[in-house]
Amino acid sequence: MNKNFLRQAQQMQQRLIKAQEELEMESIEASVGGGVVTVIANGKQKLQSIKIDPVAVDPQDIGMLEDLIIAAVNEAMDKAQELASQRVGAITGGMNIPGLT
């Protein structure tokens, strides 16, 4: 194989590793229900915290709170996935490499 190609591949791998590390340090916040449920995830799609405003806690309607939490978590994960795709895409030039995001 071409030595230049191997060097470029190694450089891309190093940049991808650095991007993955940086994504782990990124915080993505999603809020739903007018701010009554807020979740924070990192760029690696790991949930870091959930904040629930006491007004959202209605013992007669736990289902609504559960729905708000699901919506907030899903929004945060979508944002984290988009961030990861942007970061990795910038390095790979848009090549779709399975398992990177």
Side-chain angles (χ1 to χ4, degrees):
M1 274 197 186
N2 184 325
K3 288 182 182 184
N4 188 38
F5 177 77
L6 287 175
R7 187 175 64 247
Q8 288 176 344
Q10 288 172 336
Q11 289 172 346
M12 183 186 299
Q13 181 181 22
Q14 290 171 348
R15 289 193 311 265
L16 287 170
I17 289 169
K18 183 177 182 204
Q20 296 269 334
E21 290 170 351
E22 289 172 354
L23 283 169
E24 198 164 342
M25 303 306 292
E26 291 279 342
S27 290
I28 293 96
E29 184 175 305
S31 186
V32 297
V36 296
V37 174
T38 301
V39 299
I40 298 175
N42 69 17
K44 297 281 285 182
Q45 300 178 358
K46 300 294 181 193
L47 193 60
Q48 295 178 315
S49 72
I50 298 176
K51 293 186 173 106
I52 301 170
D53 188 317
V55 302
V57 182
D58 179 356
Q60 303 303 315
D61 195 4
I62 296 298
M64 175 61 87
L65 178 57
E66 292 169 342
D67 290 344
L68 288 169
I69 292 169
I70 289 169
V73 169
N74 285 337
E75 184 179 329
M77 294 304 136
D78 289 346
K79 288 180 178 181
Q81 178 64 39
E82 178 63 27
L83 178 64
S85 292
Q86 288 173 358
R87 295 281 174 86
V88 170
I91 294 169
T92 64
M95 286 189 319
N96 186 13
I97 302 173
L100 288 182
T101 57

